Amino acid sequence: MSIGSWFRTHRGRVITHASIVVGFVFLTIFIIEPLFDRFERIPDEAQLHTISLPDVTRDITHSFHEISVVPGAIWMNGWAFIWGYNTKDMQIYIVLKSDSNTYIFDTESRNWPHVTRTYKELNLNLDKCGFITTIPSRKIKDGIYAVGIYIKKGNIESLKYTPEVVIKSKDTVVSTSFTSKLQQIILPEESGNIGFRINFIREQKDGEKEFVKIYGWAYIKGYETKNSKTYLVLKSDINTYVFDTIPRYTWWVPDQLQIAHLGLDWAGFQARIPEEQLENGTYKIGVYIDKGYIEDLQYTDNAGRQNSLTIPFPD
């Protein structure tokens, strides 16, 4: 029997089955998914917006009071304003940017009159600079996201990316309050093929625990940072420690280095190390980068503002 004659014989059954499949797809896309999304909504969740973002302007002054992970959402609150402008009719959005996705969520306005007092020399009303937002994690695909602030005030638009990072992996979300973990890694010989800088080292207290926060950027010369994993190495005369880090969005690194090197957007790293895991001593700071098919190690040589760490932390 030919295909044509078979189709003519079973045409009614084929059309029926095809209609069922098409109807199921339609039902899933246009009815069931939006319905489930409606049932999954969390109280006061932020709305996702489609906005064409401007270039980075870096004229935003901001502070995050808290970024925390709650069931099904990322909760943020803080304040922000465009330098030189009051906050009347100002709209603040939170931007989450990864290599492949950018999400823009709205925020609710909050009164922060103390900001007006803090910046009284500007002679501006900044009371409405506060914001709060609850971002549903189900709206975000897995990835590493830089946290940005986008502000719109009439025809004025400003965009700034902050040191904050959010990492989404399946049902798990991690913010920059993460704690670096000690790694068991056999380090290669020092190569000297890493470009990097330590931006700052600070002590942080969280309850009764004390941490050392270290920010910087690093990359293997001649390679982009995509699919790179950066580790912080602390080496003394007695001990060598290797800690994991989380990336930071550093779109400005090529400009700072005055090089035409693309693909360094995620050269930044940050570590938050419990002091209790470190023996007392002075440590040279190093960076180990693993790209899978290539690995490099380099210690500081007057790179950046600080190139060593002393524990106990100096007063």
Side-chain angles (χ1 to χ4, degrees):
M1 180 183 294
S2 67
I3 295 177
S5 59
W6 181 91
F7 180 78
R8 285 192 296 271
T9 303
H10 300 85
R11 180 172 56 186
R13 186 178 300 174
V14 170
I15 293 174
T16 300
H17 287 174
S19 299
I20 292 173
V21 171
V22 171
F24 178 78
V25 171
F26 179 87
L27 186 67
T28 301
I29 296 175
F30 296 102
I31 298 178
I32 294 180
E33 286 189 4
L35 188 60
F36 282 159
D37 186 65
R38 182 178 178 181
F39 287 147
E40 291 177 0
R41 286 178 61 86
I42 54 180
D44 301 320
E45 72 172 40
Q47 297 299 305
L48 186 61
H49 293 262
T50 301
I51 297 174
S52 180
L53 293 172
D55 293 333
V56 175
T57 57
R58 304 182 73 175
D59 58 351
I60 292 176
T61 300
H62 85 285
S63 176
F64 280 106
H65 178 66
E66 184 176 359
I67 298 179
S68 59
V69 179
V70 298
I74 306 161
W75 189 77
M76 302 182 185
N77 82 82
W79 56 264
F81 65 90
I82 303 173
W83 190 263
Y85 294 90
N86 64 43
T87 54
K88 183 180 179 181
D89 300 324
M90 186 181 73
Q91 298 170 290
I92 300 176
Y93 299 84
I94 295 297
V95 180
L96 299 181
K97 179 179 177 57
S98 72
D99 283 337
S100 53
N101 297 291
T102 299
Y103 301 101
I104 305 169
F105 291 93
D106 58 15
T107 69
E108 294 183 20
S109 178
R110 289 291 186 271
N111 280 322
W112 283 62
H114 79 278
V115 177
T116 299
R117 296 192 295 269
T118 300
Y119 293 92
K120 60 182 179 181
E121 72 278 3
L122 297 179
N123 196 28
L124 295 172
N125 185 342
L126 305 175
D127 289 1
K128 289 291 187 179
C129 68
F131 65 84
I132 185 171
T133 188
T134 304
I135 299 173
S137 54
R138 72 180 188 280
K139 295 286 189 179
I140 305 169
K141 293 184 178 180
D142 287 1
I144 301 170
Y145 293 91
V147 178
I149 297 174
Y150 164 64
I151 299 180
K152 183 173 177 59
K153 178 180 168 66
N155 294 326
I156 301 169
E157 295 180 287
S158 291
L159 173 65
K160 174 184 181 180
Y161 287 100
T162 75
E164 308 298 332
V165 173
V166 168
I167 302 174
K168 168 76 182 301
S169 178
K170 296 182 179 179
D171 295 328
T172 302
V173 180
V174 177
S175 68
T176 45
S177 61
F178 93 115
T179 299
S180 296
K181 294 181 180 178
L182 189 61
Q183 306 293 306
Q184 299 299 321
I185 295 176
I186 299 176
L187 296 171
E189 294 294 325
E190 187 175 8
S191 66
N193 195 40
I194 293 178
F196 77 107
R197 179 182 178 90
I198 302 300
N199 292 117
F200 72 78
I201 303 172
R202 292 179 184 170
E203 186 180 38
Q204 180 190 57
K205 290 188 177 181
D206 189 350
E208 297 182 355
K209 289 190 174 183
E210 294 182 339
F211 296 87
V212 178
K213 294 190 74 173
I214 301 178
Y215 281 23
W217 51 260
Y219 67 96
I220 300 176
K221 295 177 181 178
Y223 293 87
E224 62 179 12
T225 54
K226 187 176 182 179
N227 299 323
S228 292
K229 179 62 180 175
T230 300
Y231 298 86
L232 188 73
V233 183
L234 301 178
K235 181 180 176 63
S236 71
D237 293 337
I238 302 173
N239 299 300
T240 298
Y241 300 100
V242 182
F243 290 93
D244 62 356
T245 70
I246 60 174
R248 290 177 60 216
Y249 185 55
T250 49
W251 54 270
W252 40 263
V253 166
D255 290 337
Q256 186 180 82
L257 297 178
Q258 296 182 344
I259 59 175
H261 192 313
L262 301 178
L264 299 183
D265 284 357
W266 290 93
F269 64 85
Q270 52 188 306
R272 184 172 179 261
I273 301 169
E275 285 190 29
E276 63 187 18
Q277 294 191 13
L278 301 174
E279 294 287 341
N280 291 348
T282 298
Y283 294 87
K284 178 179 283 189
I285 299 175
V287 172
Y288 164 65
I289 300 178
D290 183 8
K291 282 184 68 69
Y293 59 90
I294 187 173
E295 58 179 355
D296 274 293
L297 168 68
Q298 185 173 331
Y299 291 99
T300 50
D301 183 13
N302 297 321
R305 301 170 189 169
Q306 294 176 272
N307 64 350
S308 65
L309 169 67
T310 300
I311 297 295
F313 206 87
D315 293 331

Short mmCIF file of all heavy atoms in Angstrom, two decimals, residues 191-197 216-226 228 230 250 253-254 257-259 261-269 287 289 291 296 298:
data_model
loop_
_atom_site.label_atom_id
_atom_site.label_comp_id
_atom_site.label_asym_id
_atom_site.label_seq_id
_atom_site.Cartn_x
_atom_site.Cartn_y
_atom_site.Cartn_z
N SER A 191 53.23 30.36 36.99
CA SER A 191 53.46 30.59 35.56
C SER A 191 53.78 32.04 35.23
O SER A 191 54.49 32.32 34.27
CB SER A 191 52.23 30.17 34.76
OG SER A 191 51.14 31.03 35.06
N GLY A 192 53.22 32.96 36.00
CA GLY A 192 53.40 34.37 35.67
C GLY A 192 52.59 34.81 34.47
O GLY A 192 52.81 35.88 33.91
N ASN A 193 51.60 34.00 34.08
CA ASN A 193 50.81 34.30 32.89
C ASN A 193 49.42 34.82 33.24
O ASN A 193 48.51 34.78 32.43
CB ASN A 193 50.69 33.06 32.00
CG ASN A 193 50.20 33.40 30.60
OD1 ASN A 193 50.62 34.40 30.03
ND2 ASN A 193 49.32 32.57 30.06
N ILE A 194 49.26 35.31 34.47
CA ILE A 194 47.97 35.83 34.91
C ILE A 194 48.08 37.33 35.12
O ILE A 194 49.01 37.82 35.75
CB ILE A 194 47.52 35.15 36.22
CG1 ILE A 194 47.21 33.67 35.97
CG2 ILE A 194 46.29 35.86 36.79
CD1 ILE A 194 46.82 32.92 37.23
N GLY A 195 47.12 38.06 34.55
CA GLY A 195 47.00 39.48 34.84
C GLY A 195 45.97 39.65 35.95
O GLY A 195 44.86 39.13 35.82
N PHE A 196 46.33 40.33 37.05
CA PHE A 196 45.35 40.48 38.12
C PHE A 196 45.69 41.64 39.03
O PHE A 196 46.79 42.22 38.97
CB PHE A 196 45.21 39.19 38.93
CG PHE A 196 46.32 38.91 39.92
CD1 PHE A 196 46.11 39.07 41.27
CD2 PHE A 196 47.55 38.46 39.48
CE1 PHE A 196 47.10 38.80 42.18
CE2 PHE A 196 48.55 38.17 40.37
CZ PHE A 196 48.33 38.35 41.74
N ARG A 197 44.71 41.97 39.86
CA ARG A 197 44.84 43.08 40.81
C ARG A 197 43.99 42.77 42.02
O ARG A 197 42.86 42.30 41.89
CB ARG A 197 44.40 44.39 40.16
CG ARG A 197 44.49 45.61 41.08
CD ARG A 197 43.98 46.85 40.37
NE ARG A 197 44.02 48.02 41.24
CZ ARG A 197 45.04 48.85 41.36
NH1 ARG A 197 46.14 48.62 40.65
NH2 ARG A 197 44.99 49.89 42.15
N GLY A 216 38.98 41.48 43.87
CA GLY A 216 39.99 41.74 42.86
C GLY A 216 39.53 41.27 41.50
O GLY A 216 38.35 40.95 41.30
N TRP A 217 40.44 41.23 40.56
CA TRP A 217 40.14 40.67 39.24
C TRP A 217 41.37 39.95 38.71
O TRP A 217 42.50 40.25 39.09
CB TRP A 217 39.65 41.72 38.25
CG TRP A 217 40.49 42.95 38.10
CD1 TRP A 217 40.28 44.18 38.68
CD2 TRP A 217 41.69 43.10 37.31
NE1 TRP A 217 41.26 45.07 38.30
CE2 TRP A 217 42.13 44.44 37.46
CE3 TRP A 217 42.42 42.24 36.49
CZ2 TRP A 217 43.28 44.92 36.84
CZ3 TRP A 217 43.56 42.72 35.86
CH2 TRP A 217 43.97 44.04 36.03
N ALA A 218 41.13 38.95 37.87
CA ALA A 218 42.23 38.14 37.34
C ALA A 218 41.79 37.45 36.06
O ALA A 218 40.61 37.11 35.88
CB ALA A 218 42.67 37.10 38.38
N TYR A 219 42.75 37.22 35.17
CA TYR A 219 42.48 36.49 33.94
C TYR A 219 43.78 35.90 33.42
O TYR A 219 44.87 36.43 33.70
CB TYR A 219 41.84 37.39 32.88
CG TYR A 219 42.77 38.48 32.37
CD1 TYR A 219 43.50 38.31 31.19
CD2 TYR A 219 42.92 39.68 33.06
CE1 TYR A 219 44.37 39.29 30.73
CE2 TYR A 219 43.78 40.67 32.61
CZ TYR A 219 44.49 40.47 31.44
OH TYR A 219 45.35 41.44 30.99
N ILE A 220 43.69 34.80 32.69
CA ILE A 220 44.85 34.23 32.03
C ILE A 220 45.11 35.03 30.77
O ILE A 220 44.22 35.19 29.93
CB ILE A 220 44.63 32.74 31.69
CG1 ILE A 220 44.36 31.94 32.97
CG2 ILE A 220 45.84 32.17 30.96
CD1 ILE A 220 44.04 30.48 32.72
N LYS A 221 46.30 35.54 30.63
CA LYS A 221 46.63 36.41 29.50
C LYS A 221 46.40 35.68 28.18
O LYS A 221 46.86 34.56 27.99
CB LYS A 221 48.07 36.88 29.61
CG LYS A 221 48.33 37.78 30.82
CD LYS A 221 49.80 38.16 30.95
CE LYS A 221 50.03 39.03 32.18
NZ LYS A 221 51.47 39.36 32.35
N GLY A 222 45.66 36.36 27.29
CA GLY A 222 45.38 35.78 25.99
C GLY A 222 44.12 34.95 25.92
O GLY A 222 43.77 34.44 24.85
N TYR A 223 43.39 34.83 27.07
CA TYR A 223 42.19 34.01 27.10
C TYR A 223 41.03 34.82 27.69
O TYR A 223 41.24 35.66 28.58
CB TYR A 223 42.39 32.75 27.96
CG TYR A 223 43.38 31.76 27.37
CD1 TYR A 223 44.74 31.89 27.64
CD2 TYR A 223 42.96 30.72 26.56
CE1 TYR A 223 45.66 30.99 27.13
CE2 TYR A 223 43.86 29.81 26.04
CZ TYR A 223 45.21 29.95 26.32
OH TYR A 223 46.11 29.06 25.79
N GLU A 224 39.83 34.55 27.21
CA GLU A 224 38.66 35.17 27.81
C GLU A 224 38.33 34.48 29.12
O GLU A 224 38.85 33.39 29.41
CB GLU A 224 37.46 35.09 26.85
CG GLU A 224 37.02 33.68 26.52
CD GLU A 224 35.82 33.66 25.58
OE1 GLU A 224 35.48 34.72 25.03
OE2 GLU A 224 35.23 32.57 25.41
N THR A 225 37.48 35.11 29.92
CA THR A 225 37.18 34.59 31.25
C THR A 225 36.01 33.62 31.27
O THR A 225 35.71 33.03 32.30
CB THR A 225 36.87 35.75 32.21
OG1 THR A 225 35.83 36.56 31.66
CG2 THR A 225 38.11 36.60 32.44
N LYS A 226 35.35 33.44 30.13
CA LYS A 226 34.22 32.51 30.09
C LYS A 226 34.69 31.10 30.44
O LYS A 226 35.72 30.64 29.98
CB LYS A 226 33.58 32.53 28.70
CG LYS A 226 32.30 31.72 28.61
CD LYS A 226 31.67 31.86 27.22
CE LYS A 226 30.36 31.09 27.14
NZ LYS A 226 29.72 31.23 25.81
N SER A 228 35.92 30.09 33.13
CA SER A 228 37.07 30.06 34.02
C SER A 228 36.58 29.99 35.47
O SER A 228 35.56 30.56 35.82
CB SER A 228 37.92 31.33 33.86
OG SER A 228 38.55 31.36 32.60
N THR A 230 38.07 30.86 39.24
CA THR A 230 39.17 31.53 39.93
C THR A 230 39.17 31.15 41.41
O THR A 230 38.13 31.16 42.07
CB THR A 230 39.05 33.05 39.79
OG1 THR A 230 39.09 33.40 38.40
CG2 THR A 230 40.18 33.76 40.51
N THR A 250 33.00 42.68 35.69
CA THR A 250 34.05 43.70 35.56
C THR A 250 34.19 44.14 34.11
O THR A 250 35.24 43.99 33.49
CB THR A 250 35.40 43.16 36.08
OG1 THR A 250 35.62 41.86 35.48
CG2 THR A 250 35.40 43.01 37.58
N VAL A 253 37.32 46.37 33.00
CA VAL A 253 38.73 45.96 33.08
C VAL A 253 39.53 46.26 31.81
O VAL A 253 40.62 46.82 31.87
CB VAL A 253 38.85 44.48 33.48
CG1 VAL A 253 40.27 43.95 33.24
CG2 VAL A 253 38.49 44.31 34.96
N PRO A 254 39.02 45.91 30.60
CA PRO A 254 39.81 46.24 29.40
C PRO A 254 40.12 47.71 29.26
O PRO A 254 41.23 48.09 28.84
CB PRO A 254 38.91 45.74 28.25
CG PRO A 254 38.08 44.67 28.87
CD PRO A 254 37.82 45.14 30.27
N LEU A 257 42.88 48.64 31.71
CA LEU A 257 44.18 48.14 31.28
C LEU A 257 44.64 48.76 29.97
O LEU A 257 45.78 48.56 29.55
CB LEU A 257 44.12 46.62 31.11
CG LEU A 257 43.83 45.81 32.38
CD1 LEU A 257 43.76 44.33 32.03
CD2 LEU A 257 44.91 46.04 33.42
N GLN A 258 43.70 49.48 29.31
CA GLN A 258 43.98 50.08 28.01
C GLN A 258 44.42 49.02 27.01
O GLN A 258 45.40 49.17 26.29
CB GLN A 258 45.04 51.18 28.13
CG GLN A 258 44.58 52.36 28.98
CD GLN A 258 45.61 53.48 29.06
OE1 GLN A 258 46.78 53.29 28.73
NE2 GLN A 258 45.17 54.65 29.49
N ILE A 259 43.66 47.92 27.01
CA ILE A 259 43.91 46.84 26.05
C ILE A 259 42.62 46.52 25.33
O ILE A 259 41.53 46.68 25.87
CB ILE A 259 44.46 45.57 26.73
CG1 ILE A 259 43.45 45.05 27.78
CG2 ILE A 259 45.82 45.82 27.35
CD1 ILE A 259 43.85 43.73 28.40
N HIS A 261 41.10 43.80 24.71
CA HIS A 261 40.91 42.39 25.03
C HIS A 261 39.45 42.15 25.37
O HIS A 261 38.97 42.64 26.39
CB HIS A 261 41.81 41.99 26.20
CG HIS A 261 41.90 40.49 26.41
ND1 HIS A 261 40.81 39.66 26.43
CD2 HIS A 261 42.98 39.69 26.59
CE1 HIS A 261 41.20 38.42 26.63
NE2 HIS A 261 42.52 38.42 26.74
N LEU A 262 38.77 41.45 24.50
CA LEU A 262 37.36 41.17 24.74
C LEU A 262 37.21 39.93 25.61
O LEU A 262 38.11 39.10 25.71
CB LEU A 262 36.63 40.99 23.41
CG LEU A 262 36.70 42.17 22.44
CD1 LEU A 262 35.99 41.82 21.15
CD2 LEU A 262 36.11 43.42 23.06
N GLY A 263 36.05 39.80 26.21
CA GLY A 263 35.76 38.58 26.97
C GLY A 263 36.29 38.60 28.39
O GLY A 263 36.52 37.54 28.96
N LEU A 264 36.47 39.79 28.98
CA LEU A 264 36.93 39.88 30.37
C LEU A 264 35.82 40.38 31.29
O LEU A 264 36.09 40.88 32.37
CB LEU A 264 38.15 40.80 30.48
CG LEU A 264 39.39 40.38 29.69
CD1 LEU A 264 40.54 41.35 29.95
CD2 LEU A 264 39.81 38.97 30.03
N ASP A 265 34.57 40.26 30.85
CA ASP A 265 33.45 40.79 31.62
C ASP A 265 33.37 40.19 33.02
O ASP A 265 32.90 40.84 33.95
CB ASP A 265 32.13 40.53 30.89
CG ASP A 265 31.93 41.47 29.72
OD1 ASP A 265 32.79 42.35 29.53
OD2 ASP A 265 30.94 41.32 29.00
N TRP A 266 33.80 38.94 33.18
CA TRP A 266 33.69 38.28 34.47
C TRP A 266 35.07 37.96 35.05
O TRP A 266 35.28 36.92 35.68
CB TRP A 266 32.84 37.02 34.34
CG TRP A 266 31.41 37.34 34.10
CD1 TRP A 266 30.78 37.45 32.89
CD2 TRP A 266 30.42 37.62 35.08
NE1 TRP A 266 29.47 37.79 33.06
CE2 TRP A 266 29.21 37.89 34.40
CE3 TRP A 266 30.42 37.66 36.47
CZ2 TRP A 266 28.03 38.21 35.07
CZ3 TRP A 266 29.25 37.97 37.12
CH2 TRP A 266 28.06 38.24 36.42
N ALA A 267 36.01 38.87 34.87
CA ALA A 267 37.35 38.69 35.43
C ALA A 267 37.36 38.91 36.95
O ALA A 267 38.27 38.45 37.64
CB ALA A 267 38.34 39.65 34.77
N GLY A 268 36.38 39.61 37.47
CA GLY A 268 36.36 39.92 38.90
C GLY A 268 36.09 38.70 39.76
O GLY A 268 35.47 37.73 39.33
N PHE A 269 36.58 38.77 40.99
CA PHE A 269 36.31 37.70 41.95
C PHE A 269 36.18 38.30 43.34
O PHE A 269 36.69 39.39 43.63
CB PHE A 269 37.41 36.63 41.95
CG PHE A 269 38.76 37.13 42.40
CD1 PHE A 269 39.09 37.18 43.75
CD2 PHE A 269 39.70 37.56 41.48
CE1 PHE A 269 40.33 37.65 44.17
CE2 PHE A 269 40.95 38.02 41.88
CZ PHE A 269 41.26 38.07 43.24
N VAL A 287 46.60 33.86 42.94
CA VAL A 287 45.39 33.50 42.20
C VAL A 287 45.68 32.25 41.37
O VAL A 287 46.71 32.18 40.68
CB VAL A 287 44.94 34.65 41.28
CG1 VAL A 287 43.81 34.20 40.36
CG2 VAL A 287 44.48 35.85 42.10
N ILE A 289 43.78 29.93 38.44
CA ILE A 289 42.66 29.91 37.51
C ILE A 289 42.66 28.58 36.76
O ILE A 289 43.69 28.16 36.22
CB ILE A 289 42.75 31.08 36.50
CG1 ILE A 289 42.74 32.42 37.23
CG2 ILE A 289 41.57 31.02 35.50
CD1 ILE A 289 42.86 33.63 36.32
N LYS A 291 40.68 26.63 33.69
CA LYS A 291 39.74 26.68 32.56
C LYS A 291 39.44 25.29 32.01
O LYS A 291 38.88 25.14 30.93
CB LYS A 291 40.31 27.55 31.43
CG LYS A 291 40.19 29.04 31.69
CD LYS A 291 40.66 29.86 30.52
CE LYS A 291 39.77 29.73 29.30
NZ LYS A 291 38.43 30.34 29.49
N ASP A 296 46.59 28.06 35.52
CA ASP A 296 47.72 28.94 35.79
C ASP A 296 47.67 29.39 37.24
O ASP A 296 46.59 29.50 37.84
CB ASP A 296 47.69 30.17 34.88
CG ASP A 296 48.38 29.91 33.55
OD1 ASP A 296 49.60 29.70 33.56
OD2 ASP A 296 47.68 29.90 32.51
N GLN A 298 49.61 32.34 39.94
CA GLN A 298 50.51 33.47 40.09
C GLN A 298 50.28 34.13 41.44
O GLN A 298 49.15 34.31 41.88
CB GLN A 298 50.32 34.50 38.98
CG GLN A 298 51.32 35.66 39.03
CD GLN A 298 51.22 36.56 37.82
OE1 GLN A 298 50.84 36.11 36.74
NE2 GLN A 298 51.54 37.83 38.00
#
